[in-house]
Amino acid sequence: QQIQEDLNKQLFDNLVSFLRQSHPEFQGKTTEWTWRMKTREIPTAALVLGVNVTDHDLTFRSLSEVLQNNITPYIALLEAKDCPGIKNLMQKLMGQLMNCYIDVDSLEDEDYVQVSQRRIRCSMTSLIKWYESVTKKKDSETPSKKRTTSSRHLQSPPVVVIFKDMESFTTKVLQDFIVISSQHIHELPLVLIFGIATSPMIIHSLLPHSVSSLLCIELFQSLSCKEHLSTIIDKLLLTTQLPFKLGEKVLQVLINIFLYHDFAVQNFIKGFQLCIVEHFYSQPVSVLCCQLVDAKKRANSLSHDQCENIRRLPSFRRYVENQVSEKQITLLTEDNFLKETVQKLLEDLHVYHENYISVLRCLHVFTSSLPKYPLGKQIRELHCACLENRVWETEEYESSLQLARMLNKSDLVTMLQQCVEIFVSSSGKEFDKTVEKLKEFLTQFQKLEEEAFQEHDVSVSSQKELQKKTDLYHLQKTLLEFKESRRSKKLTKFETLRFEVVDYIDSLVRNYLVPADHKTLHEVVYFNTASVLREHLNAAPRIALHTALNNPYCYLKNQTLKSDGGSISNKAPDICIAYKLHLECGRLINLVDWLEAFSTVVTSAEGPNADVPSSDQVDDIIHARFIRAVSELELLGFIKPSKQKTDHVARLTWGAC
Amino acid sequence: MPNLEHPAYPAATLLHLESLVPCRESQVSMLLSIFGERQQFSFPSIFIYGHTSSGKTYVMQTLLNTLQLPHVFVNCVEYFTSRLLLEEILIQLQSCSSEAEETSHVPCDSFNDFVRLFKQAVGSQELQDQTFYIVLDRAEQLREMEANILPAFLRLQELTDRNVTVVLLSEIVWELFRPNTGCFEPFTLYFPDYSIGHLQKILSQNHPPEYSADFYAAYINILLGVFYMVCRDLKELQHLAVLNFSKYCEPVVRGEANERDTRKLWKNIEPHLKKAMQTVYLREISSSQWERLQRDDGEPGQLKGLSAHTHVELPYYSKFLLIAAYLASYNPVRTDKRFFLKHHGKIRKTNFMKKHEKTSNHLLGPKPFPLDRLLAILYSIVDNRVAPTANIFSQITSLVTLQLLSMVGHNDQLDGPRYKCTVSLDFIRAIAR
């Protein structure tokens, strides 16, 4: 659990630090704005944030935090739902500003009284008075008292008003507010920030020209959420610091939800957290999922049961089966030996991850610049592909290698340099040799450059030929031609070297990018039950309702309800019976028919002893039960009373979904 | 040019006033004659109207200030409730009286209270022998307050029995004000728009001290030549003049041209101004950005305006939802079967249909459609199967909050909510790509 808290903290740290990157320029602007107070325009920042509304909260919170620390203590966050009218807006604004003022120096008790008095009169003048009093107090506190009025104005911090969701504000409120504040811009340095989800055109459509001419709008575009996601994936999944890893399917589900549904990074992180919780909850061997040092310690102190759990893991069994028979027996019987092996295996896994990540990045450097992106443009796609199965067996990999064999020299050299950087920065010990090798390649290239003046023309022409034909369609043809030409003509030095490089990369990939589920003990750190996640994150209310009503056993777990599907049992709850009967009807349902069918189903259990006379006169109790079931269905939205025919209800759903 | 003449005020003040309000001499003299002498009762209420920035507020303010008439100046937009408005008037009244005693502010909830308090305030001071002026700027807001406010202000003189005149300033004509119940008719005064000559005169009046008046006047002439077609707003023109003046002066500063070399200067500034018309005037880029651009002498191409960022990134299914909504809004229901079913019947062309297809649906605007239809179209346009998950439904509501869709009719949710698609064809085209 403690690990998990750490993880959450890490997540948010990452996020906030990321957001900060996008805001420094912004801070620069705000300080500059205060210099421009002479004009009647209100400085305004339009922040285009993208449609992922759920993320905005966090963005604004961190933004106001940053502003609070650096520029001004006076910040008000306004939301459209709080401000249906200009009155509410002013009240909210005053409340927030004055409260934050109290937060600044909460020592004086008088302020509380003053504020409560003033809250009665929420107008701009009182706001200005308040602002003047605050800034004056500030001035008297600061030692540098002797300042001219003009410089004091510059010194005074601006009041920042943030409109969280510009689209939802009513035009009238915004217009009025802007007009009012533009009247007082000389006395009150006000800065507006509009949070815009769609496009900045909304400003023009919301505000008429007479109002928007009062604003001095500058546009700031926050990073698109896709980029945001890839940085998060980069920082979270592709590091060795986080012991927990996502399996291929799970990652796919999360990314799909992100791309298909909401673009909300927040939700992605929540899903990720859910994965962590689910993993620790459902997987007994997840105790070993922590930093390597801790994991070793824990492995030492495993109980017998836990050892058994490990023995039961499919990947471990595979491992055991590959061992010599005596070793197999000791592994399966002796706990201590098992613990040692587990430690060793965990270490292997850790090393594997380290290598995996750097090689993955390296491969990404190569594949991301190829035409048509056979292995995907983003590193996350590559990551998924590698997790799924042996990447070198796929066709895409094949084609990308072939394309890589045709890269020109300058690209190749820059890529190699990037790879060297990656490997140097990674902590893996095994890469010393790789780095050397790559550097060797680089020096060879340089040498080649010096030597190759004579051969230059030849190679260049062949390269040019190649570059023309880089698209996939002609690939096959070019390759065939090339094979022939290779046979006929001796390869240039450059070409041989290029082949060497690509082959070397290929060997690296084959060595290190083994999919994780081929590794022993991968269950410890990988979470792979995508179906659970999908169930939790991709709620389907209609389907859930349908199954609940159609097959009550699914939720009630009552043995008597376990039916064979087709028939309608009378033991099911009334509402289920009514629901099943209504499924058989058309758009309009006759209530009397329905009642009759209902009563026959309900009474059918009594079977033979249910006598004939009761058939035409329905029992009162059954009648009442029926009415309740029908009204429950109406509440759930399956039917509604119809005016077309008396005694009929209309169905609102079509078919079973 | 009619010189201002009035027996009650010294000629020097009047001359000063005249220099402050160019091109409004006739209106001012009219007002002065209405006001009469200080102690004389004047017309109970005056209504002044005119187009945006025709100097109503400015003239009133300078008039009252230079002649030092006791007055209260209130903007009705700022004091959005009647209570705030009345209290504000009283507060200003207190502060303008010579006694500087700060009384705690008195609650004033109704007009009755106001009349009582106003009487007290005026009576206690030496204002009795002068006309007191209450100027209500943006008076059109008064119509949205309580019904009694406007008529009561109009006959405030009668109600309070004090020497008071209420001046209403507005951009719309009096006919739109007149309440149903009838009221005291104010004296109406129209401020006409400034002509191009007036604009020229006013704008060149406040030239920067470093340059001669003629030089600035020539600049204003060029500026008006470019902008007069699109903009007659004095404020806006002033703003533009200040923004672009430094560029105009550039050759003079560098010594390439002297101040009289109008032609050269014109050549220098004209393309620049045209660029400004496309960007700054429409607030595509802000004026501070524009200034920075001028300083760096960079190309405005690097700075994208607001409308350049029209592209909106939407999640995969949201795009389809929006497209489906668009289709549902602009296609009639009966064509659904034809468009979205694989095995539709043959299209029967009747005369009736042809006649109707001629008026484009795009001219008629979006029509509302029920939720079920939207989902049905969605299922048919998305290739793979879509589960009706909560995510899809929440996306619909989030599209509504983004104002890409709008909800029609606020009746029962069970009835099946109806939506309208509010985005344009271009937008949909961009998304569908």
Side-chain angles (χ1 to χ4, degrees), chain A residues 61-100:
Chain A
R61 224 181 301 145
S62 59
L63 170 65
S64 63
E65 226 168 72
V66 169
L67 287 177
Q68 207 137 34
N69 293 337
N70 297 327
I71 297 168
T72 167
Y74 315 119
I75 292 168
L77 277 166
L78 296 176
E79 260 180 282
K81 64 176 181 223
D82 299 329
C83 316
I86 181 82
K87 197 172 164 188
N88 309 56
L89 187 139
M90 291 302 285
Q91 267 170 358
K92 196 85 190 163
L93 178 67
M94 304 271 289
Q96 282 195 18
L97 283 176
M98 294 188 169
N99 268 333
C100 81

Short mmCIF file of all heavy atoms in Angstrom, two decimals, chain A residues 61-100:
data_model
loop_
_atom_site.label_atom_id
_atom_site.label_comp_id
_atom_site.label_asym_id
_atom_site.label_seq_id
_atom_site.Cartn_x
_atom_site.Cartn_y
_atom_site.Cartn_z
N ARG A 61 -5.70 24.32 -11.29
CA ARG A 61 -5.23 24.34 -9.91
C ARG A 61 -3.72 24.59 -9.88
O ARG A 61 -3.21 25.41 -9.12
CB ARG A 61 -5.58 23.03 -9.22
CG ARG A 61 -6.12 23.26 -7.83
CD ARG A 61 -6.44 21.95 -7.16
NE ARG A 61 -7.40 21.15 -7.90
CZ ARG A 61 -7.36 19.83 -7.95
NH1 ARG A 61 -6.42 19.16 -7.32
NH2 ARG A 61 -8.27 19.16 -8.63
N SER A 62 -3.02 23.86 -10.73
CA SER A 62 -1.57 24.05 -10.71
C SER A 62 -1.20 25.41 -11.25
O SER A 62 -0.25 26.04 -10.78
CB SER A 62 -0.88 22.95 -11.51
OG SER A 62 -1.33 22.97 -12.83
N LEU A 63 -1.98 25.89 -12.21
CA LEU A 63 -1.72 27.22 -12.76
C LEU A 63 -1.87 28.28 -11.68
O LEU A 63 -1.00 29.15 -11.51
CB LEU A 63 -2.69 27.52 -13.91
CG LEU A 63 -2.69 28.95 -14.41
CD1 LEU A 63 -1.37 29.30 -15.02
CD2 LEU A 63 -3.81 29.15 -15.40
N SER A 64 -2.97 28.18 -10.93
CA SER A 64 -3.18 29.20 -9.91
C SER A 64 -2.13 29.07 -8.82
O SER A 64 -1.72 30.06 -8.22
CB SER A 64 -4.59 29.09 -9.33
OG SER A 64 -4.75 27.88 -8.69
N GLU A 65 -1.68 27.85 -8.58
CA GLU A 65 -0.62 27.66 -7.61
C GLU A 65 0.65 28.38 -8.06
O GLU A 65 1.28 29.12 -7.30
CB GLU A 65 -0.33 26.17 -7.50
CG GLU A 65 -0.19 25.65 -6.09
CD GLU A 65 -0.20 24.14 -6.13
OE1 GLU A 65 0.82 23.59 -6.58
OE2 GLU A 65 -1.20 23.52 -5.74
N VAL A 66 0.97 28.14 -9.31
CA VAL A 66 2.18 28.75 -9.86
C VAL A 66 2.09 30.26 -9.82
O VAL A 66 3.02 30.95 -9.41
CB VAL A 66 2.40 28.26 -11.31
CG1 VAL A 66 3.48 29.08 -11.98
CG2 VAL A 66 2.77 26.81 -11.33
N LEU A 67 0.93 30.77 -10.21
CA LEU A 67 0.73 32.22 -10.20
C LEU A 67 0.83 32.76 -8.79
O LEU A 67 1.43 33.80 -8.54
CB LEU A 67 -0.63 32.56 -10.80
CG LEU A 67 -0.77 32.41 -12.30
CD1 LEU A 67 -2.18 32.71 -12.71
CD2 LEU A 67 0.18 33.33 -13.02
N GLN A 68 0.24 32.03 -7.89
CA GLN A 68 0.24 32.47 -6.51
C GLN A 68 1.66 32.55 -5.97
O GLN A 68 2.00 33.46 -5.23
CB GLN A 68 -0.57 31.48 -5.67
CG GLN A 68 -1.18 32.08 -4.45
CD GLN A 68 -2.61 31.60 -4.28
OE1 GLN A 68 -2.92 30.46 -4.61
NE2 GLN A 68 -3.47 32.44 -3.79
N ASN A 69 2.46 31.59 -6.35
CA ASN A 69 3.82 31.60 -5.85
C ASN A 69 4.66 32.70 -6.48
O ASN A 69 5.57 33.22 -5.84
CB ASN A 69 4.49 30.25 -6.12
CG ASN A 69 3.84 29.16 -5.31
OD1 ASN A 69 3.23 29.44 -4.29
ND2 ASN A 69 3.96 27.94 -5.77
N ASN A 70 4.37 33.02 -7.71
CA ASN A 70 5.31 33.87 -8.43
C ASN A 70 4.83 35.29 -8.65
O ASN A 70 5.64 36.20 -8.67
CB ASN A 70 5.62 33.26 -9.79
CG ASN A 70 6.30 31.93 -9.64
OD1 ASN A 70 7.05 31.73 -8.70
ND2 ASN A 70 6.01 31.02 -10.54
N ILE A 71 3.57 35.48 -8.85
CA ILE A 71 3.16 36.79 -9.32
C ILE A 71 2.25 37.50 -8.34
O ILE A 71 2.56 38.58 -7.85
CB ILE A 71 2.46 36.68 -10.69
CG1 ILE A 71 3.47 36.15 -11.69
CG2 ILE A 71 1.98 38.04 -11.13
CD1 ILE A 71 2.86 35.73 -12.97
N THR A 72 1.14 36.90 -8.06
CA THR A 72 0.15 37.66 -7.32
C THR A 72 -0.62 36.75 -6.37
O THR A 72 -0.89 35.61 -6.70
CB THR A 72 -0.85 38.33 -8.28
OG1 THR A 72 -1.95 38.80 -7.51
CG2 THR A 72 -1.33 37.38 -9.33
N PRO A 73 -0.95 37.24 -5.22
CA PRO A 73 -1.78 36.43 -4.33
C PRO A 73 -3.25 36.49 -4.69
O PRO A 73 -4.04 35.75 -4.14
CB PRO A 73 -1.52 37.03 -2.96
CG PRO A 73 -1.15 38.43 -3.24
CD PRO A 73 -0.47 38.44 -4.55
N TYR A 74 -3.61 37.39 -5.59
CA TYR A 74 -5.04 37.60 -5.83
C TYR A 74 -5.50 36.84 -7.05
O TYR A 74 -5.30 37.28 -8.18
CB TYR A 74 -5.34 39.09 -5.98
CG TYR A 74 -4.65 39.91 -4.95
CD1 TYR A 74 -3.74 40.88 -5.30
CD2 TYR A 74 -4.88 39.66 -3.59
CE1 TYR A 74 -3.08 41.60 -4.33
CE2 TYR A 74 -4.22 40.38 -2.63
CZ TYR A 74 -3.32 41.35 -2.99
OH TYR A 74 -2.68 42.06 -2.04
N ILE A 75 -6.09 35.71 -6.80
CA ILE A 75 -6.55 34.90 -7.92
C ILE A 75 -7.96 34.43 -7.61
O ILE A 75 -8.26 34.00 -6.50
CB ILE A 75 -5.65 33.68 -8.12
CG1 ILE A 75 -4.28 34.12 -8.59
CG2 ILE A 75 -6.25 32.73 -9.14
CD1 ILE A 75 -3.27 33.04 -8.54
N ALA A 76 -8.81 34.57 -8.59
CA ALA A 76 -10.16 34.04 -8.43
C ALA A 76 -10.44 33.06 -9.57
O ALA A 76 -10.18 33.37 -10.73
CB ALA A 76 -11.17 35.17 -8.46
N LEU A 77 -10.93 31.91 -9.20
CA LEU A 77 -11.31 30.92 -10.21
C LEU A 77 -12.82 30.92 -10.33
O LEU A 77 -13.52 30.73 -9.34
CB LEU A 77 -10.86 29.53 -9.76
CG LEU A 77 -9.42 29.12 -10.03
CD1 LEU A 77 -9.10 27.89 -9.23
CD2 LEU A 77 -9.25 28.83 -11.49
N LEU A 78 -13.32 31.18 -11.51
CA LEU A 78 -14.76 31.22 -11.67
C LEU A 78 -15.22 30.11 -12.59
O LEU A 78 -14.60 29.84 -13.61
CB LEU A 78 -15.17 32.57 -12.27
CG LEU A 78 -14.88 33.77 -11.40
CD1 LEU A 78 -15.24 35.03 -12.14
CD2 LEU A 78 -15.64 33.69 -10.11
N GLU A 79 -16.30 29.48 -12.18
CA GLU A 79 -16.87 28.44 -13.02
C GLU A 79 -18.25 28.87 -13.49
O GLU A 79 -18.96 29.58 -12.76
CB GLU A 79 -16.99 27.15 -12.23
CG GLU A 79 -15.88 26.19 -12.52
CD GLU A 79 -16.05 24.94 -11.71
OE1 GLU A 79 -15.72 24.96 -10.51
OE2 GLU A 79 -16.51 23.95 -12.26
N ALA A 80 -18.61 28.42 -14.66
CA ALA A 80 -19.86 28.89 -15.24
C ALA A 80 -21.06 28.49 -14.41
O ALA A 80 -22.03 29.22 -14.31
CB ALA A 80 -20.00 28.35 -16.65
N LYS A 81 -20.98 27.32 -13.79
CA LYS A 81 -22.17 26.86 -13.08
C LYS A 81 -22.43 27.68 -11.83
O LYS A 81 -23.54 27.71 -11.33
CB LYS A 81 -22.04 25.39 -12.75
CG LYS A 81 -20.94 25.06 -11.81
CD LYS A 81 -20.95 23.58 -11.47
CE LYS A 81 -19.83 23.28 -10.50
NZ LYS A 81 -19.12 22.09 -10.83
N ASP A 82 -21.41 28.38 -11.32
CA ASP A 82 -21.61 29.22 -10.16
C ASP A 82 -22.15 30.60 -10.53
O ASP A 82 -22.58 31.33 -9.67
CB ASP A 82 -20.29 29.43 -9.40
CG ASP A 82 -19.73 28.12 -8.92
OD1 ASP A 82 -20.54 27.23 -8.63
OD2 ASP A 82 -18.50 28.00 -8.83
N CYS A 83 -22.05 30.93 -11.79
CA CYS A 83 -22.35 32.30 -12.18
C CYS A 83 -23.45 32.38 -13.22
O CYS A 83 -23.19 32.65 -14.39
CB CYS A 83 -21.11 32.97 -12.74
SG CYS A 83 -19.64 32.65 -11.80
N PRO A 84 -24.67 32.15 -12.83
CA PRO A 84 -25.76 32.30 -13.80
C PRO A 84 -26.04 33.76 -14.11
O PRO A 84 -26.51 34.09 -15.17
CB PRO A 84 -26.95 31.64 -13.12
CG PRO A 84 -26.63 31.66 -11.69
CD PRO A 84 -25.15 31.66 -11.55
N GLY A 85 -25.74 34.66 -13.20
CA GLY A 85 -25.98 36.09 -13.44
C GLY A 85 -24.77 36.89 -13.02
O GLY A 85 -23.88 36.37 -12.35
N ILE A 86 -24.78 38.14 -13.39
CA ILE A 86 -23.63 38.99 -13.07
C ILE A 86 -23.50 39.17 -11.56
O ILE A 86 -22.41 39.27 -11.01
CB ILE A 86 -23.77 40.36 -13.78
CG1 ILE A 86 -22.59 41.27 -13.51
CG2 ILE A 86 -25.04 41.06 -13.40
CD1 ILE A 86 -21.42 40.99 -14.36
N LYS A 87 -24.63 39.12 -10.89
CA LYS A 87 -24.62 39.29 -9.44
C LYS A 87 -23.86 38.15 -8.77
O LYS A 87 -22.98 38.37 -7.95
CB LYS A 87 -26.08 39.30 -8.96
CG LYS A 87 -26.28 39.86 -7.60
CD LYS A 87 -27.75 39.99 -7.36
CE LYS A 87 -28.07 40.16 -5.90
NZ LYS A 87 -29.49 40.09 -5.67
N ASN A 88 -24.20 36.93 -9.18
CA ASN A 88 -23.53 35.79 -8.59
C ASN A 88 -22.05 35.82 -8.89
O ASN A 88 -21.22 35.46 -8.06
CB ASN A 88 -24.11 34.49 -9.13
CG ASN A 88 -25.60 34.46 -9.04
OD1 ASN A 88 -26.27 35.34 -9.56
ND2 ASN A 88 -26.13 33.47 -8.37
N LEU A 89 -21.74 36.26 -10.11
CA LEU A 89 -20.35 36.30 -10.51
C LEU A 89 -19.58 37.24 -9.61
O LEU A 89 -18.52 36.90 -9.10
CB LEU A 89 -20.26 36.76 -11.96
CG LEU A 89 -18.89 36.71 -12.61
CD1 LEU A 89 -19.03 36.20 -14.02
CD2 LEU A 89 -18.22 38.04 -12.64
N MET A 90 -20.15 38.42 -9.39
CA MET A 90 -19.45 39.39 -8.55
C MET A 90 -19.31 38.86 -7.13
O MET A 90 -18.26 38.99 -6.52
CB MET A 90 -20.21 40.71 -8.53
CG MET A 90 -20.20 41.48 -9.82
SD MET A 90 -18.55 41.84 -10.36
CE MET A 90 -18.10 43.13 -9.25
N GLN A 91 -20.37 38.25 -6.64
CA GLN A 91 -20.30 37.73 -5.28
C GLN A 91 -19.19 36.70 -5.16
O GLN A 91 -18.38 36.73 -4.24
CB GLN A 91 -21.63 37.08 -4.92
CG GLN A 91 -22.56 38.03 -4.22
CD GLN A 91 -23.95 37.48 -4.09
OE1 GLN A 91 -24.22 36.38 -4.56
NE2 GLN A 91 -24.82 38.23 -3.47
N LYS A 92 -19.17 35.81 -6.11
CA LYS A 92 -18.18 34.74 -6.10
C LYS A 92 -16.77 35.33 -6.16
O LYS A 92 -15.87 34.93 -5.43
CB LYS A 92 -18.43 33.85 -7.32
CG LYS A 92 -17.77 32.53 -7.29
CD LYS A 92 -18.60 31.51 -6.55
CE LYS A 92 -17.74 30.28 -6.36
NZ LYS A 92 -18.26 29.40 -5.34
N LEU A 93 -16.64 36.29 -7.04
CA LEU A 93 -15.33 36.92 -7.24
C LEU A 93 -14.85 37.59 -5.97
O LEU A 93 -13.73 37.37 -5.52
CB LEU A 93 -15.46 37.94 -8.38
CG LEU A 93 -14.23 38.76 -8.74
CD1 LEU A 93 -13.18 37.85 -9.31
CD2 LEU A 93 -14.59 39.82 -9.74
N MET A 94 -15.75 38.39 -5.38
CA MET A 94 -15.37 39.10 -4.16
C MET A 94 -15.02 38.11 -3.07
O MET A 94 -14.04 38.27 -2.36
CB MET A 94 -16.55 39.95 -3.68
CG MET A 94 -17.08 40.90 -4.67
SD MET A 94 -16.26 42.44 -4.62
CE MET A 94 -16.86 43.08 -3.09
N GLY A 95 -15.87 37.10 -2.95
CA GLY A 95 -15.64 36.12 -1.90
C GLY A 95 -14.27 35.50 -2.03
O GLY A 95 -13.50 35.44 -1.08
N GLN A 96 -13.95 35.07 -3.22
CA GLN A 96 -12.68 34.38 -3.42
C GLN A 96 -11.50 35.32 -3.19
O GLN A 96 -10.53 34.96 -2.53
CB GLN A 96 -12.61 33.82 -4.84
CG GLN A 96 -13.40 32.55 -4.98
CD GLN A 96 -13.03 31.83 -6.25
OE1 GLN A 96 -12.00 32.09 -6.84
NE2 GLN A 96 -13.87 30.92 -6.67
N LEU A 97 -11.61 36.52 -3.72
CA LEU A 97 -10.48 37.44 -3.59
C LEU A 97 -10.25 37.81 -2.14
O LEU A 97 -9.13 37.79 -1.65
CB LEU A 97 -10.75 38.70 -4.41
CG LEU A 97 -10.54 38.54 -5.91
CD1 LEU A 97 -10.93 39.81 -6.62
CD2 LEU A 97 -9.11 38.19 -6.21
N MET A 98 -11.34 38.11 -1.46
CA MET A 98 -11.16 38.57 -0.09
C MET A 98 -10.73 37.43 0.81
O MET A 98 -9.98 37.62 1.74
CB MET A 98 -12.45 39.19 0.39
CG MET A 98 -12.72 40.44 -0.40
SD MET A 98 -14.07 41.35 0.20
CE MET A 98 -13.88 42.84 -0.73
N ASN A 99 -11.20 36.26 0.51
CA ASN A 99 -10.76 35.13 1.30
C ASN A 99 -9.28 34.90 1.14
O ASN A 99 -8.58 34.63 2.10
CB ASN A 99 -11.51 33.87 0.87
CG ASN A 99 -12.75 33.69 1.71
OD1 ASN A 99 -12.78 34.15 2.84
ND2 ASN A 99 -13.73 33.05 1.15
N CYS A 100 -8.82 35.01 -0.08
CA CYS A 100 -7.41 34.73 -0.28
C CYS A 100 -6.58 35.84 0.35
O CYS A 100 -5.48 35.61 0.80
CB CYS A 100 -7.08 34.54 -1.75
SG CYS A 100 -6.87 36.04 -2.66
#
